[in-house]
Amino acid sequence: MKITLNVNGEARSLDVDPRVALLDALRTHLDLTGSKKGCDHGQCGACTVLVNGRRINSCLTLAVMHEGDEITTIEGLGEPGSLSPLQKSFVKHDGYQCGYCTPGQIMSAKGMIAEFNMGWPSNVTDDLGTAPDFTEAEIKERMSGNLCRCSAYPGICHAIREAAPDEGTIEEAAE
């Protein structure tokens, strides 16, 4: 099936089997290998990408379902010499060890910050009638779908708190 995916601001034409997952289309057909195949069941978050600004597990969705959508992978955030604020903060706070989960962690953090800025509550939000506070508990809950086998969670949490104001409207994150 011939499809066009809009990935990192560029229209990319593909000829894929309609059963191909978005993750496999990105990695195998478009050679964008930043998104990782971890569990292939949507349980680890290593494959997280943004679709129309919302984070998804790319292993759980078909590529053909995303024709016309804006897909952003880790390659679309920054590159050596021009990293995004989140990427810089992950380096600064050692928010990675082996690095396998890092692209998914960063993409999930970017999506999570956008969700927070829209006022979406999480399971730990105290008052559903007011905007949530950007606390460590909120970050941990919102990032709970992304696993790190090396246990770099403290660095990941610090990186997100520091970079959040540069990624959106969260002002109290750096305090």
Side-chain angles (χ1 to χ4, degrees), residues 7-125:
V7 182
N8 301 327
E10 181 182 338
R12 307 281 301 267
S13 297
L14 306 153
D15 191 2
V16 296
D17 183 301
R19 299 169 291 180
V20 168
L22 178 59
L23 174 63
D24 294 324
L26 294 170
R27 289 182 58 78
T28 313
H29 297 276
L30 298 178
D31 201 31
L32 295 170
T33 57
S35 304
K36 303 297 188 233
K37 184 177 280 201
C39 66
D40 214 19
H41 296 285
Q43 297 173 341
C44 73
C47 66
T48 305
V49 299
L50 301 179
V51 174
N52 298 327
R54 294 195 54 192
R55 57 187 170 157
I56 67 163
N57 292 329
S58 61
C59 72
L60 294 181
T61 187
L62 300 174
V64 297
M65 296 170 60
H66 297 287
E67 191 158 24
D69 290 339
E70 293 291 329
I71 301 164
T72 306
T73 68
I74 191 71
E75 293 91 348
L77 288 190
E79 54 191 50
S82 182
L83 298 177
S84 75
L86 269 170
Q87 290 170 314
K88 288 177 188 175
S89 193
F90 265 69
V91 171
K92 176 181 175 183
H93 291 284
D94 206 18
Y96 59 90
Q97 285 183 20
C98 78
Y100 195 83
C101 73
T102 306
Q105 296 277 358
I106 292 171
M107 297 308 295
S108 188
K110 185 150 181 76
M112 179 269 297
I113 291 167
E115 292 163 9
F116 182 87
N117 284 331
M118 288 185 278
W120 294 5
S122 79
N123 193 45
V124 299
T125 303

Side-chain angles (χ1 to χ4, degrees), residues 152-164:
Y153 298 117
I156 291 168
C157 196
H158 291 304
I160 293 169
R161 282 186 69 75
E162 181 176 284

